[in-house]
């Protein structure tokens, strides 16, 4: 008892989440806010969650916030980011490998052309 829910937000997310919730509570117009953040569990680990709050208080003046676990989605997003990084690295290597032989070929052709005698040619 006596603990603020914000104490369970990951420190790096706390200000952003608190600001989103304050926007809902202080809004004079209907508004809804959705925010993704890490929420501390009993064992000290963090789960990624998404909370949606709307500026529509209950008759008692409380606000309803719906929260769902999005940890699996976040894990898939991280895996996709790592795969994209590896693909970018691969594309860079392939691009370099393709450019290098072409540059050598152009230099060799230019070198051969420069050694061809041009005197005595008739146009």
């Amino acid at each position: 008892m006596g603990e603020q829910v914000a104490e369970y937000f990951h420190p790096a997310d706390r200000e952003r989440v608190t600001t989103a919730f304050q926007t809902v509570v202080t809004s004079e117009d209907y508004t809804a806010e959705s925010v993704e953040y890490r929420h501390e569990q009993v064992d000290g680990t963090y789960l990624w969650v998404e909370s949606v709050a709307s500026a529509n208080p209950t008759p008692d003046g409380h606000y309803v916030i719906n929260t769902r676990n999005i940890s699996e989605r976040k894990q898939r997003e991280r895996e996709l980011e790592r795969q994209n990084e590896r693909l970018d690295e691969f594309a860079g290597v392939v691009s370099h490998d393709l450019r290098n032989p072409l540059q050598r070929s152009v230099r060799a052709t230019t070198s051969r052309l420069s050694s061809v005698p041009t005197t005595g040619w008739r146009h």
Side-chain angles (χ1 to χ4, degrees):
M1 292 300 283
E3 296 179 76
Q4 295 291 318
V5 70
E7 293 176 20
Y8 294 97
F9 303 157
H10 189 280
D13 303 331
R14 191 170 292 140
E15 183 177 341
R16 183 172 44 81
V17 177
T18 303
T19 299
F21 291 155
Q22 285 175 344
T23 299
V24 168
V25 173
T26 60
S27 177
E28 292 182 18
D29 298 319
Y30 178 81
T31 185
E33 290 284 326
S34 174
V35 63
E36 296 178 0
Y37 58 98
R38 291 159 288 185
H39 193 276
E40 187 177 11
Q41 303 302 293
V42 174
D43 66 0
T45 61
Y46 286 92
L47 277 181
W48 272 102
V49 297
E50 176 186 40
S51 291
V52 179
S54 62
N56 189 12
T58 65
D60 298 334
H62 300 288
Y63 291 85
V64 177
I65 300 171
N66 294 307
T67 300
R68 66 185 179 117
N69 183 345
I70 60 168
S71 296
E72 288 181 19
R73 188 188 85 204
K74 287 293 196 178
Q75 177 64 30
R76 285 190 308 271
E77 287 174 359
R78 283 191 299 273
E79 289 170 7
L80 284 172
E81 287 172 6
R82 284 193 294 270
Q83 287 176 353
N84 284 339
E85 288 170 4
R86 287 194 302 267
L87 282 172
D88 286 344
E89 289 173 15
F90 177 74
V93 169
V94 168
S95 175
H96 177 266
D97 289 349
L98 289 174
R99 271 194 314 265
N100 245 3
L102 184 58
Q103 289 172 348
R104 282 195 298 264
S105 176
V106 167
R107 279 191 291 249
T109 302
T110 305
S111 174
R112 282 189 222 124
L113 287 175
S114 65
S115 66
V116 173
T118 56
T119 56
W121 283 21
R122 291 190 180 180
H123 298 291

